[in-house]
Amino acid sequence: MKRILTIWATLGAAYVVFETLFRGYSHPSMFVVGGLCGVLVGAINQAPRFYRAPVIVQSVIGAVIVLAVEFISGCVLNLWLGLDVWDYSNQPGNVLGQICPVFGLLWFFIMPLAIWAEDTTRYLIWAYDCAVYHSQEAPPTIAPYSLKSVYGDFICGR
């Protein structure tokens, strides 16, 4: 559980940083939403039937997960609580102003970065736990791979 919360916090903070760089600002709720997306996207790669799935398949599933989380959290944060964190009402094909196809496509292309970030974070946390707490658990045998190799697999369909 500690590892999942650490991954959540790490990826939530990373999401806030990226959103601030992209949009110029973020909202505190995006720390929670971004971390949740990171944990859920990472869970794809932990499920045995998806562990060896091509990155492009994981990217499609990840984009759908992010859109689902974005829609549900948008309905709560924006429509129910009225926080106006985001509004896609002016985008074509939007659903209640909370999600839209353009950003779904953007998530699809960002997904290899998210998969790499979650896998690398998971590996580093596991190795840290073993080193500091002398855990009997061995860290994963596979060292973190490069972001370039993930996007290479994405482009080549591997």
Side-chain angles (χ1 to χ4, degrees):
M1 183 59 134
K2 176 178 70 172
R3 288 181 187 152
I4 291 173
L5 291 175
T6 304
I7 290 169
W8 187 322
T10 302
L11 297 178
Y15 180 84
V16 168
V17 167
F18 283 121
E19 184 177 46
T20 302
L21 291 173
F22 180 73
R23 251 175 101 180
Y25 64 95
S26 189
H27 188 272
S29 64
M30 299 319 303
F31 174 80
V32 175
V33 174
L36 176 60
C37 288
V39 168
L40 293 176
V41 166
I44 298 168
N45 214 5
Q46 305 309 311
R49 67 180 178 196
F50 293 114
Y51 183 73
R52 297 279 182 215
V55 175
I56 200 161
V57 171
Q58 292 182 42
S59 295
V60 169
I61 296 166
V64 168
I65 288 171
V66 170
L67 285 173
V69 170
E70 187 175 32
F71 181 74
I72 292 167
S73 60
C75 287
V76 171
L77 296 170
N78 298 326
L79 301 179
W80 184 41
L81 297 176
L83 296 178
D84 296 323
V85 179
W86 68 85
D87 183 6
Y88 297 135
S89 295
N90 61 348
Q91 299 292 323
N94 78 81
V95 179
L96 298 176
Q98 304 311 303
I99 59 172
C100 71
V102 172
F103 279 85
L105 186 61
L106 179 64
W107 283 119
F108 170 73
F109 288 111
I110 291 173
M111 208 44 57
L113 171 64
I115 292 166
W116 172 82
E118 195 279 337
D119 285 349
T120 301
T121 302
R122 181 179 295 277
Y123 178 86
L124 294 173
I125 290 168
W126 199 317
Y128 176 82
D129 281 355
C130 291
V132 172
Y133 301 112
H134 306 292
S135 171
Q136 299 301 326
E137 273 182 275
T141 55
I142 302 170
Y145 41 88
S146 72
L147 183 57
K148 180 180 174 183
S149 71
V150 176
Y151 271 100
D153 288 349
F154 176 77
I155 292 166
C156 296
R158 290 180 277 187

